Amino acid sequence: MTVQTALVLGANTIITQSNCSVAFSTTDQLIFGQQLGLIWLPLDEHRKAACSPAYLHEPKDWAQLDDNNNPNVWQLDLTKLFDTQAVVSLQLIAYVYHDPSLNLPAIELNNICLTLNNGAIKYDFTANERHIKAAIVLEIYRRNGQFKCRALGESSTQGLASVEHRVGISLDTRPPDTHALIQAAQQQQRTQPNNESRPPRHVQPGETWTGTAFAIDPYHLLTCYHVIESAAMIGIRQQGQPDREAQVVLSDIGSDSAIIRVSEPLPSYLPLAQRCSDNLGETITTLGFPLSGLSSQLQVTQGCISGLTGFGDDIRYMQFTAPIQPGSSGSPLLLPTGEVVGMVTSSLVHEHAQNMNYAVKFQLLSALLASAGIGLGDLSDSPHTKVPPLTTPQLSKQSRSALWLVGCQG
């Protein structure tokens, strides 16, 4: 017979099984996945996000749902999470969904009952004030080789905004209906001809178009395949510099990437990121030449990395929120260190999908450079590789001389 441990606020107890089950219920007549959301948020020793969280709409290999149609029971692999992600603690956050575009009565979080390992541990969270929108209800940590859990009750009437600021990550709290609409749009996109299978672009003689490129060493620049596709002539332009003609060195339709070369040395270039890490939620800055017919000035926008894959979980790409426009293709995604973590390629156009933009990851850009005989070792002397995090104005000032407007003519 299993003895049940009932936790009170602030109390802790040992979790005897690292493969842990967690079940939820509520007396509020609210339904998980419809009105109520859950986030498993891993934290590092500095109480910052250690890796991307697990959501009801986005489980992880260490946090799986028993049944997607009944998202009330989770299976956690604590050993896998803590041993591979430098995790010190795992917080469970319950929150109510809110869509400001819908005229719905406000939903409040009042009660959450959770049980671990088939009832061995039980905790009833009850909000102690009105209008609660989110609450941290449980924390799991490891002490002296044992996993333990602590009952928490840190609540907020402002939703998850305060949590985002504290842990330094952007949390995806959109309602499930929004995710369903976006997934439908992505599915429709996947049924369209993709880059690898679509016919070549047909252009009229003399037709012109523009994009963006950034220098990666004194003679080479990276841009998108679709920017230089079918171009009979390619030129690059930068304010204060002479126009230059460029030649295609290597292009890859699969990653929508291309290397172009100029004959005269370029004044500045950007370093590619050197290591793979979970950058979900990381602030990024883009610099490029969108809508160059309206202005040929360099434009700077800022956002964050909002997803680690592209359409249909395509691992070649990442998703980001910085606003982009036609002409932004080929713009670098810059980390606060000045390193290029991706290159802007496309955007998902859908009424329910604002700022769902995509960039090819730096790993593929590195592979393309290696195929052209341009190794990362050749770039290690870049003046930007070892700097502390920069402000957006500092990043713009440091990087702008490596950005070029690409002009193509058919």
Side-chain angles (χ1 to χ4, degrees):
M1 179 178 178
T2 302
V3 177
Q4 185 180 77
T5 299
L7 294 179
V8 296
L9 184 63
N12 63 72
T13 190
I14 294 172
I15 302 174
T16 57
Q17 297 172 273
S18 61
N19 288 319
C20 176
S21 66
V22 186
F24 301 87
S25 62
T26 176
T27 60
D28 299 333
Q29 297 184 335
L30 302 179
I31 301 174
F32 289 98
Q34 294 186 21
Q35 295 98 354
L36 283 177
L38 294 170
I39 297 175
W40 291 99
L41 178 60
L43 300 176
D44 62 18
E45 59 181 339
H46 304 294
R47 307 297 284 180
K48 299 293 185 180
C51 59
S52 56
Y55 302 87
L56 288 174
H57 66 270
E58 187 182 312
K60 303 292 184 182
D61 59 352
W62 49 267
Q64 295 285 337
L65 286 168
D66 269 11
D67 184 352
N68 289 330
N69 296 317
N70 181 29
N72 291 32
V73 182
W74 288 80
Q75 296 294 331
L76 303 180
D77 188 335
L78 299 177
T79 301
K80 176 180 289 187
L81 174 64
F82 280 70
D83 288 351
T84 62
Q85 301 287 350
V87 171
V88 171
S89 65
L90 177 65
Q91 290 188 343
L92 171 64
I93 305 172
Y95 62 98
V96 293
Y97 293 117
H98 174 61
D99 187 340
S101 66
L102 299 178
N103 184 22
L104 295 174
I107 301 173
E108 298 179 13
L109 179 63
N110 294 314
N111 171 268
I112 296 287
C113 176
L114 58 93
T115 56
L116 281 73
N117 289 339
N118 300 315
I121 302 169
K122 182 179 180 181
Y123 173 49
D124 289 322
F125 163 80
T126 301
N128 55 11
E129 57 182 308
R130 298 285 306 278
H131 311 301
I132 296 301
K133 300 297 183 184
I136 304 173
V137 298
L138 191 74
E139 182 174 51
I140 297 175
Y141 58 98
R142 185 159 55 183
R143 188 71 50 81
N144 298 324
Q146 290 183 313
F147 287 106
K148 295 185 174 183
C149 64
R150 179 184 294 114
L152 301 179
E154 182 182 335
S155 57
S156 169
T157 59
Q158 303 300 316
L160 293 169
S162 60
V163 177
E164 289 183 318
H165 178 74
R166 175 173 59 81
V167 302
I169 192 173
S170 178
L171 298 174
D172 185 355
T173 60
R174 291 171 294 187
D177 288 349
T178 299
H179 285 286
L181 290 168
I182 291 172
Q183 289 168 3
Q186 291 177 329
Q187 179 62 36
Q188 183 178 9
Q189 178 78 25
R190 290 196 296 270
T191 62
Q192 303 300 317
N194 58 23
N195 283 342
E196 291 91 335
S197 61
R198 64 178 174 81
R201 172 196 286 163
H202 294 289
V203 298
Q204 299 298 320
E207 180 182 344
T208 61
W209 62 94
T210 64
T212 299
F214 60 95
I216 203 68
D217 77 359
Y219 292 95
H220 297 93
L221 305 96
L222 284 167
T223 189
C224 288
Y225 172 86
H226 76 261
V227 170
I228 53 88
E229 182 188 7
S230 302
M233 182 179 295
I234 303 170
I236 62 171
R237 172 173 293 178
Q238 185 186 101
Q239 191 172 13
Q241 292 283 333
D243 293 354
R244 305 164 190 240
E245 186 173 350
Q247 305 294 328
V248 177
V249 175
L250 188 65
S251 61
D252 176 36
I253 190 172
S255 63
D256 193 17
S257 306
I259 305 170
I260 57 177
R261 178 182 172 87
V262 293
S263 57
E264 296 293 326
L266 300 163
S268 178
Y269 51 94
L270 300 176
L272 284 183
Q274 297 292 306
R275 58 187 178 85
C276 181
S277 59
D278 186 343
N279 290 313
L280 190 69
E282 177 70 81
T283 297
I284 51 91
T285 301
T286 66
L287 296 88
F289 298 91
L291 303 174
S292 62
L294 302 178
S295 172
S296 61
Q297 296 296 309
L298 183 68
Q299 305 291 313
V300 179
T301 61
Q302 194 173 41
C304 72
I305 297 173
S306 54
L308 299 180
T309 56
F311 293 124
D313 296 327
D314 192 330
I315 61 173
R316 294 175 294 183
Y317 303 96
M318 64 176 59
Q319 182 181 321
F320 66 96
T321 62
I324 60 172
Q325 302 291 338
S328 295
S329 295
S331 299
L333 259 60
L334 297 175
L335 295 172
T337 57
E339 297 172 296
V340 177
V341 72
M343 181 176 69
V344 175
T345 60
S346 62
S347 181
L348 177 63
V349 180
H350 191 274
E351 60 179 326
H352 294 282
Q354 290 80 22
N355 289 335
M356 289 193 66
N357 310 313
Y358 296 91
V360 60
K361 293 179 178 177
F362 74 89
Q363 293 95 329
L364 268 72
L365 300 176
S366 298
L368 189 69
L369 291 167
S371 298
I374 307 169
L376 288 178
D378 301 328
L379 311 178
S380 60
D381 295 331
S382 167
H384 308 301
T385 53
K386 295 181 180 179
V387 296
L390 303 173
T391 65
T392 301
Q394 289 172 331
L395 198 58
S396 172
K397 184 177 181 180
Q398 174 181 281
S399 306
R400 67 182 64 175
S401 59
L403 272 293
W404 294 78
L405 173 67
V406 180
C408 298
Q409 181 174 324

